[in-house]
Amino acid sequence: MAAVGAAATHLDVVRGKRAALFFAAVAILLGLPLWWKTTETYRAPLPYSQISALNALQLRLMVPVTVVFTRDSIPLDDQEKLPFTVVHEREIPLKYKMKIKCRFQKAYRRALDHEEEALSSGSVHEAEAMLAELKEQAEGSLTVYVISEYSSLLPQDMMSYIGPERTAVVRGIMHREAFNIIGRRIIQIAQAMSLTEDVLAAALADHLPEDKWSSDKRRPLKSSLGYEITFSLLNPDPKSHDVHWDIEGAVQHYVWPFLNALSAAGNFSVDSQILYYAMLGVNPRFDPTSFSYYLPMHSLPHVINPVESRLGSSAASLYPVLNFLLYVPELAHSPLYIQDMDGAPVATNAFHSPRWGGIMVYNIDPKAYNASELPVRVEVDMVQVMEVFLAQLRLLFGIAQPQVPPKCLLSGPKNEGLMTWELDQLLWARSVENLATATTTLTSLAQLLGKISNIVIKDDVASEVYRAVAAVQKAAEELASGHLSSAFVASQEAVTSSERAFFDPSLLHLLYFPDDQKFAIYIPLFLPMAVPILLSLVKIFLEMHKSWRKPEKID
Amino acid sequence: MAAPCFFSRLWRAALALLALGSLAASQIEDQAKQFFRSGHTNNWAVLVCTSRFWFNYRHVANTLSVYRSVKRLGIPDSHIVLMLADDMACNARNPKPATVFSHKNMELNVYGDDVEVDYRSYEVTVENFLRVLTGRIPPSTPRSKRLLSDDRSNILIYMTGHGGNGFLKFQDSEEITNIELADAFEQMWQKRRYNELLFIIDTCQGASMYERFYSPNIMALASSQVGEDSLSHQPDPAIGVHLMDRYTFYVLEFLEEINPASQTNMNDLFQVCPKSLCVSTPGHRTDLFQRDPKHVLITDFFGSVRKVEITTETLSLQRDSQITESSYKEDRMDEELMEPLKYAEQLPVAQIIHQKPKLKDWHPPGGFILGLWALIIMVFFKTYGIKHMKFIF
């Protein structure tokens, strides 16, 4: 009986042990992986390798230049060699992780008959007019016409001429090394019209580390999809001045043509307002020698802040806003001049702040006060005002005076105030800037995902990242093949997609769920289950260990 | 004869060297001065008050004092994100409505006439705060509620409320931990949303909040160390509550003496409110900051000075004579053709009134975990029976 009882309890013990082992097996092999999988943060797959490859991207900016030789520009045996193509490639020495190479692809050819005819006319402008009606040039490309050394198309001392459209004229030379010499001149001209180190450095100003403390002149507006331009008239003294300005007409005649010429760079919207009783935050000082008031240069930065809150720029739109203020000083402080560093009054009576806008002070002609009583009706001279505002707009966009090579005649500006190749320069700079921004954003996102494990990446965010990477690669390809407009569009798409992916609200989903709080949640669930299982495993293991030892002892 | 010539030559050489040396020294000094300047171009401020209820009046007064100083020193409203968790000025218990005072005897009304609160009342949550910092805001958010900083912005972040070791309480219902804050700053750094950051916190055990920061260019100040409480300054018998916290009171006193052109540096700010006045020990952390605090101006963070340039060039435009004539005609025409203005159909009011309540997130019922425990233990005992307990334990 005792043996049967002992056998029965032994069976029970074995069954108990097997049950415990089975529990443990299910918990560890099935439960643990299931729990791990269901509680990990969801991360859709991202192209990490492609993103890190973007950092080492080599940007090759190609400028296709067509060089047209007229009959007497180069020696005959050189003329026999036409047509052919020469490539001049140069690396831009910027301390940036992306290498940028500038490639001028010069296609040499002979002039056609109508071109010969045009280039033998009296003045450059006639020649240009005749040449311009023939073909539309693609964005980013240039055409250089080489004329005879003794031609009278250009003034005698001028070696070259840069036109408002994408054309230039260079004097040829009758020399053995004609092609080399002319080639160098052409490169100089082409660089002035398209890409110089300065243009690219200004575009990448935010990304280059050493430019932090350099002059802030090189800080154009950040690239954006659109811009909002606001013209405001500030009249602090309506009792004395009844100011009228024909802003609609001025915008129609002067501003919209300029913005239409820039339309490839973004969407623009223009609005205007008149603010009464809006003072400048600074008291002007009186200058007894000229009986006028002046604002010294060091007080100019303090002018903007008090007046900015009244401009309502935050309500306008989500695009960056450029404010242009026209201030008509009060009767008590008229006339008001702005002084530069040397104490001399500024000719334009205006100043601007990078990435914000410009302010111009409009002094009223003192003769207007004699005849009538207050308030005096003032009709603002919009041409004078718009000349200054458009110049400020150019500076704010980063369209600077070009660096022309020596002995080069620069044509007068067009009616719109923007030469076509200046637009090209802007597009080059913007494309490079967009690519730099997009690459930085994607790299930051990848690094962030590595550092903080709680960020969720949903599928639509992942698709935006893929789209951004594809757009960056496409933009780089288009830049290398010289298609500027499609490269610019691709670079804008890259920036939009990458920013949308980085700033998607869903990335913050699990941020406030740090690791130590996870333990606090899981312990009450798992500990009551885990403790019996572990203890039973330990007991089983100790018993097995004892039973192994026992045979040794007997022997 | 040679000697005087030699001496004069030597003299001249020495003078030349001296002049060259001083020129070089001044150049180096200029470069050094430039090097120590901050590379920022704009300033932002994020001011957060996290407590509600009337007895936390002092936290709102703290935040509004800093807001007032920051505005006075030049940061415009468009660059300030002000988050107030409760409305003290229009509170029913405020004996002086539309005011928030910061000094006893009601000397200084920090509410003013032009305060612009961006996040108010229940909008001040941990999630909204983190969204503002990281920029992950839903696209419908208006511009005044966004922190549109870039990599050249210096940002001042001021937080006040009730806190503890490693957390800060928001609205009496949730908390933000120091780890989340550090991660949020890291996200800002990765996207280069700041050039330099100054973090000031006035809560109990405030130093614990900056312990976990790991991103560069952050300087942090706190009103008390871990284990200490930050105390309030003075109650006002007329209003009936404490008006301000000690640390912020002395910081405000310090800031009132700063003007936009002053050269006071951060080391002076570190000395504000010593233990004798504050009872708690204010702390600061500068190891993540690249520049030396004595070269950091107070106005680098609290003020905002724009860079301006004189416009020296103009375009030349062709005068269009048609404009002036047409403008007069248009003016007269406008006066005649004034249409009566009317409001557009703005909101479908009927739909809004009968809106269904928003579905809240589902939380498991409270007794769920207890029930789960009971289930596990019940199944366990059923399988084994009580008598087998001794084999398991």
Side-chain angles (χ1 to χ4, degrees):
Chain A
M1 277 302 290
V4 172
T9 45
H10 181 71
L11 204 59
D12 277 334
V13 164
V14 168
R15 262 205 215 131
K17 275 195 213 159
R18 276 201 210 126
L21 281 172
F22 198 62
F23 257 105
V26 165
I28 293 175
L29 294 176
L30 205 61
L32 220 59
L34 201 67
W35 168 69
W36 189 259
K37 204 76 183 53
T38 50
T39 54
E40 70 175 5
T41 49
Y42 179 71
R43 291 242 177 120
L46 289 180
Y48 291 109
S49 54
Q50 286 184 356
I51 293 176
S52 51
L54 287 180
N55 270 328
L57 196 66
Q58 256 206 12
L59 274 185
R60 189 170 282 144
L61 309 172
M62 190 177 91
V63 184
V65 184
T66 313
V67 186
V68 179
F69 288 91
T70 56
R71 237 173 284 123
D72 313 317
S73 47
I74 41 170
L76 265 170
D77 39 345
D78 280 338
Q79 285 202 8
E80 300 294 313
K81 295 186 199 151
L82 296 172
F84 65 97
T85 308
V86 174
V87 169
H88 174 97
E89 189 164 305
R90 186 177 84 99
E91 182 167 333
I92 308 269
L94 289 172
K95 286 210 189 109
Y96 186 54
K97 51 184 184 198
M98 260 198 232
K99 303 241 172 286
I100 303 181
K101 284 199 186 153
C102 196
R103 185 194 181 105
F104 292 100
Q105 188 159 299
K106 297 178 283 190
Y108 290 4
R109 67 172 172 85
R110 254 181 233 155
L112 303 170
D113 286 330
H114 62 84
E115 290 169 346
E116 294 271 0
E117 203 185 305
L119 287 168
S120 45
S121 48
S123 79
V124 194
H125 304 285
E126 284 175 26
E128 273 207 302
M130 286 173 71
L131 289 166
E133 39 190 59
L134 293 167
K135 57 174 174 156
E136 254 309 309
Q137 281 206 309
E139 274 154 355
S141 63
L142 298 169
T143 308
V144 183
Y145 295 98
V146 185
I147 55 175
S148 143
E149 205 175 342
Y150 307 104
S151 160
S152 58
L153 198 63
L154 296 175
Q156 212 44 37
D157 50 342
M158 289 297 171
M159 295 299 290
S160 46
Y161 163 82
I162 296 182
E165 306 285 339
R166 303 176 177 106
T167 53
V169 177
V170 168
R171 278 190 198 278
I173 193 164
M174 291 292 188
H175 194 272
R176 236 185 16 240
E177 296 286 318
F179 278 144
N180 285 343
I181 300 176
I182 297 177
R184 274 197 293 270
R185 283 187 204 155
I186 290 175
I187 292 290
Q188 268 189 329
I189 304 272
Q191 275 185 340
M193 287 171 84
S194 63
L195 289 167
T196 54
E197 191 182 310
D198 268 355
V199 166
L200 290 175
L204 290 174
D206 285 336
H207 297 269
L208 295 173
E210 68 229 46
D211 264 306
K212 247 189 173 184
W213 300 289
S214 73
S215 156
D216 295 313
K217 284 201 174 93
R218 300 199 285 173
R219 227 166 358 98
L221 272 182
K222 278 186 118 126
S223 168
S224 154
L225 285 175
Y227 302 92
E228 172 92 22
I229 299 181
T230 308
F231 292 102
S232 309
L233 173 66
L234 299 176
N235 186 359
D237 198 6
K239 290 199 292 288
S240 320
H241 305 135
D242 180 24
V243 188
H244 289 256
W245 70 341
D246 179 27
I247 187 65
E248 281 185 58
V251 163
Q252 202 63 32
H253 283 267
Y254 303 119
V255 180
W256 274 119
F258 182 80
L259 293 179
N260 285 334
L262 268 183
S263 59
N267 302 325
F268 292 97
S269 62
V270 180
D271 39 55
S272 69
Q273 59 180 345
I274 304 182
L275 291 174
Y276 295 104
Y277 292 106
M279 317 280 176
L280 295 180
V282 180
N283 272 331
R285 299 206 200 138
F286 183 65
D287 179 20
T289 51
S290 55
F291 285 106
S292 61
Y293 290 85
Y294 68 94
L295 283 172
M297 186 163 170
H298 61 83
S299 68
L300 291 178
H302 305 287
V303 167
I304 298 180
N305 278 332
V307 84
E308 194 189 359
S309 55
R310 301 200 53 192
L311 291 176
S313 47
S314 59
S317 79
L318 283 177
Y319 288 145
V321 180
L322 283 174
N323 292 299
F324 292 100
L325 270 55
L326 184 66
Y327 183 72
V328 178
E330 319 148 306
L331 186 55
H333 288 147
S334 288
L336 181 62
Y337 296 108
I338 297 178
Q339 275 189 0
D340 60 10
M341 274 186 299
D342 312 318
V346 175
T348 56
N349 223 11
F351 66 98
H352 60 274
S353 176
R355 292 190 181 170
W356 183 79
I359 299 185
M360 177 176 172
V361 178
Y362 185 82
N363 286 318
I364 299 173
D365 195 3
K367 293 197 280 282
Y369 293 119
N370 297 340
S372 47
E373 51 187 26
L374 302 174
V376 174
R377 186 185 166 94
V378 179
E379 204 54 58
V380 175
D381 179 12
M382 292 312 293
V383 176
Q384 182 195 357
V385 167
M386 278 303 158
E387 282 179 352
V388 174
F389 279 163
L390 285 180
Q392 286 179 338
L393 191 56
R394 274 174 62 110
L395 286 171
L396 289 169
F397 266 102
I399 307 170
Q401 285 296 95
Q403 301 168 318
V404 289
K407 291 206 203 148
C408 180
L409 179 68
L410 188 63
S411 90
K414 286 163 67 170
N415 266 347
E416 292 102 36
L418 184 72
M419 304 203 218
T420 324
W421 47 269
E422 284 179 329
L423 173 67
D424 287 350
Q425 261 185 347
L426 195 64
L427 290 182
W428 287 114
R430 286 293 162 83
S431 306
V432 172
E433 188 191 334
N434 284 345
L435 287 182
T437 314
T439 315
T440 321
T441 309
L442 289 171
T443 320
S444 315
L445 184 60
Q447 279 177 348
L448 205 57
L449 289 176
K451 269 212 173 127
I452 301 177
S453 52
N454 271 331
I455 299 184
V456 176
I457 300 282
K458 299 211 297 221
D459 288 326
D460 51 350
V461 174
S463 63
E464 289 286 341
V465 173
Y466 275 104
R467 204 180 304 160
V469 171
V472 170
Q473 288 167 339
K474 177 168 176 233
E477 276 169 27
E478 297 284 332
L479 281 176
S481 52
H483 304 136
L484 182 56
S485 46
S486 50
F488 179 67
V489 167
S491 69
Q492 274 193 329
E493 198 192 305
V495 168
T496 330
S497 293
S498 59
E499 299 266 315
R500 217 180 289 151
F502 193 93
F503 285 123
D504 192 86
S506 68
L507 262 75
L508 212 56
H509 194 59
L510 283 182
L511 190 67
Y512 39 109
F513 197 31
D515 289 333
D516 52 349
Q517 291 186 1
K518 275 190 202 152
F519 281 120
I521 293 175
Y522 287 129
I523 283 181
L525 290 177
F526 288 135
L527 206 59
M529 243 181 8
V531 165
I533 293 177
L534 283 172
L535 284 176
S536 62
L537 281 178
V538 163
K539 205 163 185 302
I540 292 171
F541 180 67
L542 284 175
E543 277 183 19
M544 273 194 351
H545 193 70
K546 242 192 273 176
S547 65
W548 283 340
R549 281 259 207 93
K550 256 200 207 150
E552 295 174 5
K553 272 197 183 167
I554 290 178
D555 289 337
Chain B
M1 280 309 290
C5 268
F6 173 69
F7 268 125
S8 67
R9 230 183 282 157
L10 194 64
W11 195 234
R12 251 179 267 150
L15 273 176
L17 259 174
L18 210 69
L20 206 68
S22 65
L23 188 69
S26 69
Q27 263 187 0
I28 292 177
E29 218 181 85
D30 274 341
Q31 278 179 6
K33 244 191 255 171
Q34 260 199 342
F35 186 78
F36 288 130
R37 265 193 311 137
S38 164
H40 74 284
T41 62
N42 55 60
N43 285 75
W44 286 81
V46 179
L47 310 173
V48 185
C49 160
T50 59
S51 350
R52 53 175 33 241
F53 305 130
W54 173 246
F55 49 81
N56 289 323
Y57 183 103
R58 57 190 186 281
H59 296 141
V60 173
N62 287 351
T63 319
L64 285 172
S65 316
V66 179
Y67 172 76
R68 180 200 135 81
S69 312
V70 146
K71 256 181 91 156
R72 190 177 57 83
L73 290 173
I75 303 187
D77 269 319
S78 53
H79 283 224
I80 302 179
V81 178
L82 179 62
M83 304 171 86
L84 294 180
D86 202 357
D87 187 3
M88 298 303 168
C90 300
N91 196 309
R93 294 166 75 168
N94 192 347
K96 303 271 174 187
T99 60
V100 173
F101 290 110
S102 71
H103 283 208
K104 204 159 66 158
N105 296 327
M106 301 190 231
E107 281 166 19
L108 187 59
N109 173 19
V110 289
Y111 202 62
D113 311 335
D114 55 353
V115 64
E116 185 186 293
V117 182
D118 300 305
Y119 285 85
R120 60 191 68 205
S121 185
Y122 289 107
E123 291 171 359
V124 179
T125 58
V126 174
E127 183 180 337
N128 280 349
F129 175 62
L130 290 177
R131 283 193 190 281
V132 164
L133 285 185
T134 54
R136 304 226 166 85
I137 290 187
S140 57
T141 321
R143 204 125 169 247
S144 55
K145 284 188 169 180
R146 290 178 189 246
L147 178 64
L148 296 168
S149 56
D150 54 32
D151 59 325
R152 304 285 208 98
S153 310
N154 275 10
I155 306 184
L156 166 73
I157 298 186
Y158 176 83
M159 301 184 76
T160 181
H162 288 288
N165 190 355
F167 66 92
L168 172 60
K169 185 174 74 159
F170 265 70
Q171 302 258 17
D172 227 20
S173 64
E174 50 180 4
E175 301 148 2
I176 185 172
T177 57
N178 47 8
I179 304 175
E180 288 161 19
L181 199 57
D183 283 342
F185 286 162
E186 174 66 16
Q187 295 202 39
M188 288 175 81
W189 172 250
Q190 285 295 336
K191 192 58 179 74
R192 296 292 183 274
R193 274 166 71 77
Y194 67 88
N195 175 40
E196 287 171 345
L197 199 103
L198 178 65
F199 176 74
I200 304 184
I201 184 159
D202 188 352
T203 63
C204 304
Q205 308 194 52
S208 63
M209 286 305 280
Y210 62 63
E211 272 171 3
R212 300 294 199 113
F213 292 165
Y214 55 93
S215 319
N217 286 351
I218 300 184
M219 196 190 300
L221 281 104
S223 59
S224 54
Q225 302 291 334
V226 174
E228 287 180 349
D229 288 337
S230 284
L231 301 180
S232 55
H233 193 230
Q234 36 178 211
D236 184 288
I239 299 185
V241 284
H242 287 264
L243 291 187
M244 270 190 92
D245 279 331
R246 284 178 191 243
Y247 183 70
T248 312
F249 180 80
Y250 290 107
V251 167
L252 176 64
E253 236 178 43
F254 173 80
L255 288 175
E256 288 284 305
E257 284 159 31
I258 308 271
N259 56 56
S262 62
Q263 299 287 312
T264 340
N265 57 44
M266 277 297 162
N267 275 341
D268 302 324
L269 189 58
F270 294 159
Q271 310 300 329
V272 160
C273 206
K275 195 167 163 88
S276 53
L277 288 172
C278 253
V279 185
S280 58
T281 321
H284 53 92
R285 179 176 177 181
T286 52
D287 58 318
L288 293 166
F289 206 74
Q290 277 173 6
R291 294 189 291 151
D292 194 346
K294 70 169 183 279
H295 293 123
V296 180
L297 301 176
I298 299 284
T299 49
D300 278 349
F301 288 102
F302 283 89
S304 155
V305 181
R306 293 193 192 256
K307 316 271 190 272
V308 295
E309 283 163 28
I310 303 280
T311 313
T312 46
E313 345 176 312
T314 54
L315 284 182
S316 56
L317 297 171
Q318 284 173 353
R319 198 168 278 275
D320 207 343
S321 55
Q322 296 166 359
I323 311 174
T324 42
E325 293 165 19
S326 63
S327 69
Y328 271 127
K329 278 194 220 143
E330 273 173 31
D331 271 340
R332 271 181 240 132
M333 273 172 27
D334 275 336
E335 284 163 29
E336 292 165 19
L337 287 175
M338 287 282 275
E339 281 178 10
L341 302 169
K342 54 186 177 175
Y343 284 102
E345 188 60 51
Q346 286 178 343
L347 299 169
V349 179
Q351 279 182 7
I352 292 173
I353 291 177
H354 295 291
Q355 223 177 26
K356 281 200 212 138
K358 199 174 71 157
L359 283 166
K360 290 212 170 93
D361 292 325
W362 181 80
H363 293 287
F368 177 69
I369 292 185
L370 277 174
L372 201 61
W373 284 36
L375 189 66
I376 292 171
I377 292 176
M378 209 178 64
V379 166
F380 183 80
F381 281 128
K382 270 213 104 89
T383 322
Y384 286 99
I386 297 277
K387 61 180 168 39
H388 287 281
M389 281 271 282
K390 61 178 190 287
F391 289 107
I392 306 298
F393 284 106

